[in-house]
């Protein structure tokens, strides 16, 4: 199959693209390589996928190894759809490009409207013009807001978001539902819970915790540390995304629109998560307890029974195993490379 992956240089996008290529599919990957966090990390991911990053020029396809073509382009760029993808026979679209970050959405709301609303609209219009292509798109557990009923189920109310980021993700679900109903396009939204693992984003808790502990810096714990997250290892996430992208569920008829939670279904208290990092690194955290931040939620917990029923999704990576792999990568990428660079 030929699959379009947006946000392929992002954390989840990289791992999904890697798995698709390893399974023998061809991928057209796009990413604007913005500076929300270091573009160097995104370029390193692309190098891992077989792209010669010195060849990258904006809006010009670059061929790599393993049936991957990469294009540095924004999903709002009209020529992407009218020219670059015009004659491509795309079998499925995996939409993972978005402006991420709950707290950042409070500081820079316009970026979220541009990328997560306008960009999603342009992509879904492309899908309307190519209705044979199944669309799988990234939603978020943040749509549940301050829901106090756990675990979160897809049938729970999601009309009270507490951040603009969450509001844009809920808007994506509504837009996709309307287009699916109007034009008969098969669309699946995946509500991601907290993903972590090698090549993870530096703005997310697993990295922030590990980086602070390793470098003997104070570590901020919001809501006085009384928070939990449904941390989900990235390989389990990528496996689930690819199952949804490449197969149809056993139920008949196949629904044209569906929403699923994709998480680990085993929430972990932040204090316990940090204790595991301390044990693996052999270093002690310097904890600073602070109040709840705007836009944050206290707990997340995914009920993934629907995804398990329809696609056989079964996350299998323990926190101990996942954090060990993440910290090994962190030390190799951030500690050892930095040391080598300093010493020539």
């Amino acid at each position: 199959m030929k699959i379009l992956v947006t946000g392929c240089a992002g954390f989840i996008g990289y791992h999904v693209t890697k798995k698709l290529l390893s399974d023998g599919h061809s991928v057209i990957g796009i990413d604007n390589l913005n500076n929300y966090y270091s573009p160097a990390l995104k370029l390193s991911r692309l190098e891992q996928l077989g792209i010669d990053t010195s060849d990258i020029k904006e809006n010009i396809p670059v061929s790599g190894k393993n049936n991957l073509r990469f294009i540095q382009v924004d999903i709002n760029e009209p020529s992407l759809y009218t020219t670059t993808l015009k004659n491509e026979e795309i079998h499925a679209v995996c939409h993972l490009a978005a402006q991420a970050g709950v707290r950042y959405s409070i500081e820079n709301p316009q970026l979220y409207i541009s990328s997560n609303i306008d960009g999603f609209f342009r992509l879904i219009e492309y899908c309307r013009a190519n209705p044979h292509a199944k669309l799988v798109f990234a939603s978020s557990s943040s749509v549940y807001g301050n829901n106090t009923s756990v675990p979160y189920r897809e049938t729970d109310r999601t009309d009270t978001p507490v951040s603009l980021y969450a509001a844009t993700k809920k808007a994506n679900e509504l837009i996709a539902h309307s287009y699916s109903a109007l034009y008969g396009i098969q669309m699946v939204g995946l509500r991601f819970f907290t993903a972590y693992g090698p090549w993870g984003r530096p703005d997310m808790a697993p990295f922030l915790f590990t980086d602070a502990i390793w470098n003997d810096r104070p570590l901020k714990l919001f809501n006085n540390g009384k928070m939990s997250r449904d941390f989900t290892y990235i390989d389990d996430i990528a496996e689930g995304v690819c199952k949804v992208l490449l197969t149809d569920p056993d139920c008949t008829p196949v629904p044209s629109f569906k929403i699923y939670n994709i998480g680990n279904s085993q929430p972990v208290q932040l204090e316990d998560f940090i204790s595991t990092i301390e044990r693996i690194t052999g270093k002690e955290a310097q904890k600073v307890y602070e109040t709840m931040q705007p836009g944050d939620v206290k707990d997340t917990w995914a009920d993934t029974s629907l995804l398990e029923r329809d696609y056989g999704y079964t996350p299998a990576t323990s926190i101990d195993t996942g954090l060990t792999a993440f910290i090994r990568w962190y030390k190799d990428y951030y500690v050892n490379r930095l040391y080598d660079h300093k010493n020539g």
Side-chain angles (χ1 to χ4, degrees):
M1 294 178 67
K2 183 184 290 185
I3 299 159
L4 174 65
V5 178
T6 72
C8 72
F11 176 36
I12 297 176
Y14 158 72
H15 283 277
V16 168
T17 300
K18 180 181 177 182
K19 177 162 179 53
L20 289 171
L21 294 173
S22 69
D23 289 346
H25 302 284
S26 63
V27 174
I28 298 176
I30 66 174
D31 200 294
N32 65 2
L33 301 178
N34 68 25
N35 62 358
Y36 169 63
Y37 61 85
S38 172
L41 177 57
K42 301 173 186 179
L43 292 172
S44 293
R45 293 177 183 137
L46 290 174
E47 289 170 356
Q48 293 291 311
L49 293 172
I51 294 293
D52 184 343
T53 55
S54 65
D55 292 339
I56 294 176
K57 295 180 177 62
E58 193 167 357
N59 215 17
I60 297 177
V62 176
S63 295
K65 302 174 183 177
N66 304 318
N67 296 317
L68 171 65
R69 278 190 294 153
F70 173 73
I71 312 164
Q72 182 185 354
V73 63
D74 193 277
I75 55 174
N76 273 306
E77 172 54 49
S79 66
L80 171 65
Y81 309 104
T82 60
T83 303
T84 308
L85 298 176
K86 183 176 181 181
N87 296 316
E88 296 286 353
E89 186 178 348
I90 302 294
H91 300 107
V93 178
C94 185
H95 179 49
L96 300 171
Q99 180 56 58
V102 169
R103 294 181 189 131
Y104 195 60
S105 69
I106 298 172
E107 302 170 19
N108 297 276
Q110 182 57 54
L111 291 177
Y112 289 77
I113 299 301
S114 176
S115 178
N116 299 6
I117 302 296
D118 296 340
F120 186 77
F121 172 72
R122 287 189 182 275
L123 181 75
I124 211 166
E125 274 287 286
Y126 168 76
C127 292
R128 182 169 72 90
N130 298 272
H132 58 280
K134 178 180 183 179
L135 172 65
V136 176
F137 65 94
S139 186
S140 169
S141 62
S142 64
V143 301
Y144 290 106
N146 281 318
N147 188 353
T148 57
S149 175
V150 291
Y152 296 165
R153 295 178 174 85
E154 292 87 346
T155 53
D156 291 345
R157 288 184 59 181
T158 55
D159 55 1
T160 56
V162 294
S163 70
L164 179 62
Y165 171 73
T168 63
K169 288 300 185 178
K170 180 60 181 178
N172 288 171
E173 293 181 2
L174 295 172
I175 293 168
H177 184 278
S178 66
Y179 265 60
S180 180
L182 285 168
Y183 307 114
I185 308 168
Q186 188 178 0
M187 298 186 182
V188 179
L190 296 175
R191 291 174 177 166
F192 289 102
F193 286 68
T194 308
Y196 76 100
W199 300 99
R201 279 172 29 205
D203 64 313
M204 295 185 69
F207 177 90
L208 294 172
F209 294 164
T210 301
D211 195 55
I213 292 170
W214 186 264
N215 292 289
D216 301 310
R217 293 197 310 268
L219 170 61
K220 292 182 179 180
L221 282 176
F222 298 111
N223 199 40
N224 296 308
K226 300 184 184 303
M227 301 175 73
S228 67
R229 291 290 180 268
D230 198 340
F231 292 105
T232 312
Y233 190 62
I234 189 60
D235 286 358
D236 293 329
I237 290 279
E239 176 76 20
V241 171
C242 290
K243 281 184 176 181
V244 174
L245 191 65
L246 300 172
T247 62
D248 290 328
D250 293 334
C251 54
T252 304
V254 175
S256 58
F257 177 83
K258 196 76 174 179
I259 291 289
Y260 294 98
N261 290 332
I262 182 165
N264 196 45
S265 296
Q266 296 184 32
V268 178
Q269 293 293 324
L270 293 193
E271 294 271 18
D272 295 335
F273 193 79
I274 291 167
S275 294
T276 304
I277 298 174
E278 290 177 313
R279 178 171 51 79
I280 295 171
T281 60
K283 298 174 74 70
E284 186 175 348
Q286 301 175 29
K287 301 173 186 176
V288 178
Y289 294 96
E290 299 198 358
T291 59
M292 194 75 149
Q293 296 294 289
D296 269 355
V297 298
K298 182 177 178 292
D299 304 300
T300 65
W301 180 359
D303 179 337
T304 59
S305 56
L306 286 181
L307 194 59
E308 180 180 354
R309 181 198 69 186
D310 289 353
Y311 291 97
Y313 172 74
T314 52
T317 308
S318 68
I319 288 294
D320 190 83
T321 299
L323 276 177
T324 298
F326 169 71
I327 291 168
R328 185 185 303 120
W329 169 80
Y330 167 85
K331 291 167 66 175
D332 177 64
Y333 187 81
Y334 285 99
V335 180
N336 297 340
R337 292 191 188 193
L338 180 61
Y339 177 84
D340 291 342
H341 175 71
K342 286 182 177 179
N343 290 276

